[in-house]
Amino acid sequence: MDVLVYLINLLARLLTLLVLAQAIMSYFVSPYHPIRQVIDRLLEPVYTPIRRVLPQTGMIDFSPLVLIILVQVVAWLLVSVLGSF
């Protein structure tokens, strides 16, 4: 069980770091930079359903924030369920 909890927490942290890296890189790095393109390709399939649900807010995209919150909540719930066994 401890290994599974560790993996869940690790995946949640990695996904959160990817989202933060993409947000920071969007200000400083060209959209054509290879690293940014890889991160964008990894996260875009996850952002798409969130963007369909969120209302348009002009130039501000809240989907990364919503994704981070969802990842943390799901990880917390999974760890809580696994901890009860």
Side-chain angles (χ1 to χ4, degrees):
M1 284 297 174
D2 290 338
V3 174
L4 195 54
V5 169
Y6 175 78
L7 286 175
I8 291 169
N9 285 326
L10 180 66
L11 288 173
R13 286 186 192 135
L14 286 174
L15 191 53
T16 301
L17 286 174
L18 273 176
V19 171
L20 291 174
Q22 182 193 35
I24 292 169
M25 288 174 66
S26 70
Y27 288 105
F28 302 110
V29 179
S30 165
Y32 304 107
H33 192 279
I35 293 175
R36 183 162 172 208
Q37 287 182 340
V38 168
I39 293 174
D40 287 347
R41 273 189 249 132
L42 286 172
L43 293 178
E44 195 58 38
V46 183
Y47 286 149
T48 303
I50 295 171
R51 287 182 179 141
R52 277 191 225 133
V53 174
L54 286 180
Q56 292 285 337
T57 56
M59 294 193 55
I60 300 174
D61 184 14
F62 287 106
S63 55
L65 178 64
V66 172
L67 179 60
I68 289 174
I69 292 169
L70 285 174
V71 165
Q72 296 302 317
V73 168
V74 169
W76 178 77
L77 286 172
L78 287 173
V79 169
S80 296
V81 167
L82 288 173
S84 67
F85 289 113

